[in-house]
Structure formats: structure tokens, C-alpha cells
Amino acid sequence: VWRSTCYGFDTVRCTVRCWRAHTAGTSLLSRCPSSRCRCRCRRVERVPLILITGRSYRSEPEREVYLQRPEERGGERCNLHGGRHDTVRRLHAAAWTNMMEEAASQLERDHVHSVYDKIAPYFNDSRYKAWPKYLHINEEVFKLGCDVCRPLVDFAWSQGHEVQMCDGLHLPYRDGCFDAVLSIAVIHHLSTKERRIRAIKEMARTLQVGGRIMIYVWAMEQKRRRFEKQDIFVPWNPNPHSPSGFKAEHPAPRRRAAAQSVTEAIDNTDKHRKVRSTSSVADEEDLSGTTPQQSTQRLWFFSRSLDSVFDFGSLSISRSSSRDLSTLSPPTGENEGNKASRRGRGQRLIKQVSSFFYPPSAIGSEEDVFDSVPGLNKGQNDPGGNNNATTTTNDNNNGPANQTVSVSLAQECGSLALPDLVPFQEHLKPSGDEGRGGLQGEEQQQSTRSPQGSEGQAEGSCLRYYHVFREGELAELIENHVEELHVKHTYFDHANWCVVAEKVQVWRI
Amino acid sequence: MKLLTHNMLTSHVKGVTKGYPLLIKQATEVKVNEVDFNPQFVTRMIPKLEWSALVHAAEELGQRQDLPDELVPEYENNEEFLKKVHRVLLEVEVIEGCLRCPESGREFPISRGIPNMLLNEDEV
């Protein structure tokens, strides 16, 4: 009897009659376990579908979900639910989103928050001076700043600014209370497109109609070189002048990044009016200097675009990052056994997914991460025999039941905003024995990578995650997904893409 | 945390509809600083405020003094009034205390002058 376990990312189902899918984690037999299916079939098929049951979302009870075949296979209708496939899909979509949300939070926690917490003390050096600049701009303006990183917020407060600790995805300000919002080097730390959009929407929410927002993010197109991928880990280099690799930050971007995840609103007109001699913010940060032309243009640009708009009022400073304070530790015994195991597995799954984001080594090529094919590991739930010889090889991964998540997705979820990082590749479909052989090969591959992964994780603990933006990406993001914002200007500014947008009234019929 | 800031803050706990204004509780350390008076600033800030929330907060801290319940008409020229508002908005500062959501009761601590508005996972 061929046994396998469904982990929630793919499922096995009876291909003969009932198409019934199995709940995550249950041990599956090669014959259909459904009591309703009287076929006692021996054909069970592993299907690249997503099935997530269990802790999908709090309002929904745990339940089995019936799946439809992927389109490519002909898309037969579900025998059990008839035409109710949309419901099924939405359920999956929401559940999937939830899972990825957790993975994204975890990633941000590990590679943004904790890193900044660690390196915050080092920010109080000359490079950091650029940051307070944002807050010191205009005395006529009331500025509020916020950040997730406590040390940085403390520092800002010590400089006399009104600051709060908060999460950029949930800003603690009432609607429409700010005239301007500035987000500098913040959005690019969010690990998924959906979260980036949410952050922008959240900032737009706090803006008054007619108010403006300025967003700065790291550009993929840098002066000397393009980043090869959009999602990268950048080691934090305490010595700005040491000849580290490109992936280590340049002084300019680093300072800006250091300035960081603090977004804030600046009344640049006033600033420039008062202090004409100083270069603009970017200038000072860019050690390579800037041409006078550029700075004049910038000055001119600023004063033209913001002149008439900035009334004085309170400005908002926020850093967006998600602060998921709960730990993903396995549930305590108070949960009932079934739930507990499922939840624990869900969390291991999250760890697995997250682990794809981690580079294999500190300064190694991140290419590896993105080119890897997630192997399919059939772990085991019960201590009984298992056909895989793989559990041992994956010991260095988390948990006793090492489960490599196969993150191949069915077309059903294609429309979701999925994290850019995870390489969505169809996992090899094992069908019976041949598959197993092939899979074991994959698993070997996976296992050799994983030791690096865990090492890399330890070494690379000061790696910061960035999603660098292509030309036009940020503007497009706003235009397509944030209807309350209307893009006014976009430009490139010393390794950053900048977008200025205005809050508009959205009418709903 | 100044009261001007407090006027903008709201509770964003999931499911809460009336998270504003936050109640100031256990304000164990409140400072009154001296801040330069700028009448234009105050004049222009007033329309952006929720007046009742400001008065209520000032009262909670015992700093209301004689701030009226309603906005005084033509306050732009009323320097005395502006000075009172200035004091309450910018000079009174809560260093240690906490902010309570009026609907859920969730408390956001203020420590070292900084309110911590971060939510836990289950409140998001």
C-alpha cells in the first residue's frame, strides 16, 4: 500500500469517483478513504492543488474543502458541490493568503525588524545625520513620526520629535488627519506586493483629500549596476567605505535606508527657501556627489510640486513594516490533538516557505534561492513505515517531520498577489514509483541546500530584506491598486524611485 | 506624547469602530514644558483638531484649566485663548502612562514619552 501524507499544499484524491480531497496531515491510503465513495479504488492521484484546512481564518470553522481539478486537466466539475466552485476557490484564496501573510510577517520580522533593532545603536553616527534632517525641516509644521524599531524611535524622541511605535500596515491615526505623508525607504522592506499596497493604502487613509504623499524606495536600477533580482538580502555593513560587494550597501543607499524605514513628510519648499545653500536630502547622502543640474532640478521640482499644496498642518511620519508579535511556536497542549498537529504543521510549513527566502549564505549568490526547485518531501505523520528515505536527510530543517513545501500553485490562485520571492514552479508530479525515485533525487538536492540555508541564516542575521523597484513599478502599483491616490510625479533620485501622489475623493455608486 | 499628538491617535484594534478618542489613564508622569508661542501655528491647527477630544484629554490630565467646552468664535484674534490652547496642545506632555481604547479597553502603553501602538497578532 502506498502511503503518503497531504501537507495542505497538495492533495491526494480519489480519481475514480468522489474526487474527495483529504484534510491536511491525514494519512492517506492508496484507496479512497471516503466512506461515501464506494469504489474502493486503488488509484489515488497527487494533484498540484492547494488545499488548506485548519486554521484558515478565525471566522471559519475548520473543515474539509472539496477541490476542483486544475483547469489544464479539463476542469471537471466537482461531483459533490456541483457548480459551487467559486466558493471553493475563494476559500482557498483566503486561506492561502493567510498563510502567506504569516510567512511574510515572519520574513519581515527576521530580516527587517530584528536587524534594525540590532543595528540601531550604530545609526547614531555621521551617516545617520541625514535622518533627523527629515524631522528638522520646518518648524511651522507639526510632524509626527512613527516606526517599528524602538531604538530608532527613542533616538528621534531624544531629538525632540513626537514619535510613536506602530506598524505601517495599521497606522494609529484617524482618517484624513494629515496634509502630507512621507515614506522614505520603507515600502521596500515589505515582503509582498499585497503588503506594500496595504501600506500605501493605509498611509493614504490618514491623508486629507488634496493632501500629498511622497514615497521613496530603492531602485533596482542603480548607478553602477542593476540588482539582478528584485527581492534581495543586503548585508549591513557597518563600515561605509569598506570595499564590500555590491550587494552590500553603497553608502548612499545605506544612509537612506538607514534613514529608513522612517517615512515622513517634509515641507521642502520651506526647507529650500530657508536654506538654499544646502543640497537636498539626497545630495547630502550621496557621497558620489551630484551635478548641480540635478540638484537645481530637484529643488525646482520640489518647490513647484509642493508649494501650493502644503499648508501647514500636521505631517505624518510612518514606517511600514508588519509587527507580528506572536511567535509561531507550536501550540500548547491545550489544543486538541488534531488541531495542534495541524497548526504545528502549518507553522512548519510557514517556516519552510520562509526558508526559501533566506539566502544560502551570507554573501553567497542569492540566485540559488530563486533557482531552487522545492523538492517534494513526503514526510510521515505516523511512525509507521514510510516509503521515503528522505526524513533523515532533511533533519537540519525544522521539526522532526521535515516537510518540504511544494509551493507549486494551481491556476486557481494565479490571480492572487503572491510573494515575489517564492519561485513558483510546478513540482515534479510523481505518479507512483517513478515519481518517487525522481523525488528522492530532488530531496537530496534540497537537503544539500538546507544545511547552507541554516548556516546562512545564522551568519546572515544582519541581512536586510529588500524588494527593489523597477522603473515605473511603484507608480503602477499606486495607479492600479490605490484608487484614492493619484500619481502626480515620479522620478529617479540617486538610486531611489520617488513617487508623489495626491489623495483624491473616491466616489462610490 | 503631547496632546496634539493624542488628538490624532486612534485605536486600530480589529473590529473596533469607535477607537477614538483614546482615554489617557495612569498618567504617572506628565511634564509641562515651555514651548515658544506661535499664534499662527495654533490658529491653523485648531480646525484640524477634534475639540472635544482635546478638552477631554486635558481634563483627564488635570490640565484643562479654563479651556471652554466649545470653540470660542473668532479665536484667531483672541490671544489669550490661543495661549491656553497652545499650552494644552504643545506644552503638556505625557511621559509615562497609557492610552485606552474606548471600545475594546485595550491599553497602549506610553513609556519614555513614546506611545507604543503596536498590535499583537490576534488584534490585527
Side-chain angles (χ1 to χ4, degrees):
Chain A
V1 173
W2 178 57
R3 303 173 75 159
S4 64
T5 311
C6 168
Y7 297 106
F9 282 96
D10 57 25
T11 185
V12 183
R13 57 165 193 202
C14 165
T15 54
V16 173
R17 182 176 302 231
C18 79
W19 301 105
R20 186 178 163 119
H22 305 284
T23 55
T26 53
S27 190
L28 305 170
L29 303 178
S30 62
R31 59 181 212 176
C32 178
S34 164
S35 53
R36 271 187 267 183
C37 172
R38 281 179 245 121
C39 66
R40 290 290 183 259
C41 62
R42 293 204 150 253
R43 275 166 46 203
V44 212
E45 184 182 56
R46 181 164 241 105
V47 177
L49 293 174
I50 298 176
L51 160 64
I52 301 178
T53 59
R55 184 180 163 272
S56 314
Y57 27 80
R58 283 153 203 100
S59 55
E60 294 281 333
E62 292 185 7
R63 62 180 177 203
E64 273 184 296
V65 181
Y66 300 94
L67 303 176
Q68 188 194 7
R69 284 208 269 198
E71 313 277 36
E72 56 184 327
R73 294 185 178 207
E76 247 184 61
R77 287 159 64 87
C78 171
N79 293 345
L80 293 157
H81 287 252
R84 279 168 54 186
H85 291 131
D86 282 344
T87 315
V88 173
R89 281 182 207 203
R90 266 200 294 279
L91 181 71
H92 286 291
W96 171 251
T97 307
N98 201 353
M99 167 104 37
M100 292 317 301
E101 173 85 6
E102 286 197 30
S105 311
Q106 179 75 47
L107 170 66
E108 285 161 20
R109 215 174 317 148
D110 293 342
H111 284 280
V112 180
H113 307 307
S114 57
V115 176
Y116 278 116
D117 280 343
K118 264 181 232 154
I119 63 184
Y122 298 101
F123 277 2
N124 299 342
D125 64 6
S126 57
R127 291 178 299 137
Y128 192 51
K129 281 190 188 139
W131 185 60
K133 190 191 248 283
Y134 296 122
L135 293 176
H136 284 311
I137 295 309
N138 186 354
E139 302 307 314
E140 299 283 319
V141 158
F142 185 70
K143 302 167 282 286
L144 288 184
C146 65
D147 202 285
V148 184
C149 175
R150 179 97 218 185
L152 292 178
V153 172
D154 279 339
F155 178 78
W157 191 81
S158 69
Q159 303 294 300
H161 304 295
E162 277 291 286
V163 278
Q164 299 86 47
M165 297 264 297
C166 76
D167 170 358
L169 294 178
H170 304 95
L171 293 173
Y173 308 111
R174 46 184 169 95
D175 296 358
C177 65
F178 295 119
D179 297 282
V181 174
L182 199 53
S183 169
I184 299 201
V186 178
I187 312 280
H188 59 206
H189 279 306
L190 292 171
S191 50
T192 72
K193 180 178 174 186
E194 182 253 338
R195 287 162 83 82
R196 295 188 279 269
I197 293 170
R198 272 166 58 192
I200 298 174
K201 285 179 96 81
E202 183 67 354
M203 289 189 280
R205 176 187 69 78
T206 61
L207 258 184
Q208 223 170 48
V209 172
R212 295 231 178 153
I213 176 170
M214 180 155 73
I215 308 178
Y216 261 78
V217 290
W218 249 20
M220 190 172 176
E221 303 88 344
Q222 300 273 329
K223 259 196 200 129
R224 287 166 212 130
R225 189 177 141 171
R226 250 175 88 108
F227 284 111
E228 276 138 27
K229 300 274 186 188
Q230 283 193 269
D231 296 283
I232 58 172
F233 286 90
V234 180
W236 184 75
N237 190 350
N239 182 358
H241 299 292
S242 71
S244 34
F246 179 71
K247 292 234 165 91
E249 300 177 278
H250 281 198
R254 191 185 322 122
R255 192 184 298 174
R256 188 178 286 287
Q260 53 193 136
S261 304
V262 173
T263 67
E264 113 176 8
I266 294 182
D267 184 343
N268 286 283
T269 60
D270 275 42
K271 173 189 166 209
H272 293 295
R273 248 185 258 129
K274 281 177 194 166
V275 227
R276 273 218 195 281
S277 55
T278 60
S279 42
S280 75
V281 165
D283 277 349
E284 207 160 307
E285 294 179 355
D286 187 6
L287 296 185
S288 51
T290 141
T291 68
Q293 222 171 6
Q294 270 181 326
S295 39
T296 339
Q297 188 187 22
R298 233 191 330 275
L299 284 174
W300 174 84
F301 190 87
F302 272 74
S303 59
R304 188 172 159 239
S305 66
L306 302 178
D307 230 322
S308 49
V309 175
F310 277 174
D311 186 12
F312 96 57
S314 43
L315 303 178
S316 160
I317 305 171
S318 73
R319 165 178 174 168
S320 62
S321 255
S322 140
R323 184 63 156 187
D324 198 328
L325 294 177
S326 77
T327 57
L328 285 185
S329 54
T332 59
E334 48 201 277
N335 293 342
E336 36 166 337
N338 213 15
K339 229 192 229 180
S341 61
R342 225 176 274 160
R343 187 195 180 113
R345 195 172 320 103
Q347 285 155 4
R348 280 195 290 275
L349 286 177
I350 291 170
K351 280 202 156 136
Q352 284 292 339
V353 171
S354 295
S355 76
F356 290 144
F357 302 153
Y358 299 147
S361 64
I363 309 181
S365 155
E366 278 88 16
E367 312 298 314
D368 292 354
V369 183
F370 301 95
D371 293 336
S372 70
V373 175
L376 179 64
N377 181 9
K378 299 186 281 283
Q380 55 193 12
N381 238 10
D382 37 47
N386 190 302
N387 60 335
N388 311 311
T390 58
T391 45
T392 46
T393 55
N394 277 324
D395 270 343
N396 46 342
N397 273 338
N398 332 292
N402 301 312
Q403 302 136 20
T404 310
V405 168
S406 158
V407 290
S408 65
L409 298 178
Q411 280 64 22
E412 274 102 271
C413 284
S415 57
L416 282 182
L418 297 165
D420 318 316
L421 274 188
V422 183
F424 295 124
Q425 305 181 14
E426 286 274 57
H427 75 286
L428 303 177
K429 293 184 255 300
S431 42
D433 294 331
E434 318 130 7
R436 243 178 299 153
L439 281 168
Q440 276 181 355
E442 269 177 63
E443 280 142 353
Q444 290 298 336
Q445 207 183 352
Q446 173 70 23
S447 67
T448 45
R449 240 195 316 281
S450 25
Q452 291 168 357
S454 29
E455 272 166 31
Q457 225 164 308
E459 285 165 12
S461 54
C462 267
L463 289 171
R464 279 183 293 172
Y465 166 78
Y466 285 90
H467 168 89
V468 292
F469 283 73
R470 287 174 194 281
E471 177 170 5
E473 183 185 337
L474 180 58
E476 190 215 331
L477 204 69
I478 296 175
E479 276 157 19
N480 296 344
H481 299 279
V482 187
E483 55 179 354
E484 58 267 38
L485 285 180
H486 176 66
V487 175
K488 300 296 257 189
H489 309 284
T490 70
Y491 56 93
F492 185 82
D493 180 5
H494 290 100
N496 290 273
W497 284 114
C498 173
V499 169
V500 176
E502 182 176 315
K503 171 91 180 259
V504 294
Q505 187 81 40
V506 175
W507 298 105
R508 294 198 188 281
I509 300 163
Chain B
M1 183 203 68
K2 302 192 175 167
L3 291 186
L4 175 49
T5 308
H6 166 264
N7 205 264
M8 307 294 153
L9 292 176
T10 173
S11 160
H12 47 303
V13 174
K14 183 170 161 186
V16 163
T17 47
K18 193 65 179 73
Y20 179 88
L22 292 162
L23 310 164
I24 309 178
K25 297 288 168 198
Q26 297 151 35
T28 49
E29 194 181 332
V30 178
K31 268 170 60 184
V32 181
N33 311 301
E34 232 185 81
V35 178
D36 289 339
F37 173 59
N38 184 338
Q40 289 100 18
F41 180 91
V42 181
T43 310
R44 287 196 258 180
M45 274 317 283
I46 287 175
K48 300 190 190 289
L49 303 172
E50 286 283 327
W51 184 256
S52 54
L54 177 69
V55 171
H56 195 75
E59 196 155 330
E60 279 179 318
L61 293 178
Q63 297 284 343
R64 180 179 172 172
Q65 294 178 349
D66 45 358
L67 213 59
D69 275 330
E70 299 280 326
L71 262 180
V72 164
E74 307 224 354
Y75 51 78
E76 306 88 38
N77 306 313
N78 189 338
E79 184 160 320
E80 243 188 75
F81 175 75
L82 290 180
K83 279 203 173 141
K84 286 186 217 166
V85 178
H86 164 84
R87 182 183 180 281
V88 165
L89 280 182
L90 299 172
E91 294 189 341
V92 178
E93 194 177 354
V94 181
I95 306 294
E96 298 286 334
C98 74
L99 296 167
R100 187 186 302 168
C101 169
E103 193 175 310
S104 66
R106 207 272 198 200
E107 295 197 342
F108 299 95
I110 306 174
S111 67
R112 302 199 286 270
I114 301 166
N116 185 342
M117 311 300 294
L118 291 169
L119 293 173
N120 299 322
E121 186 214 334
D122 49 324
E123 297 169 306
V124 153

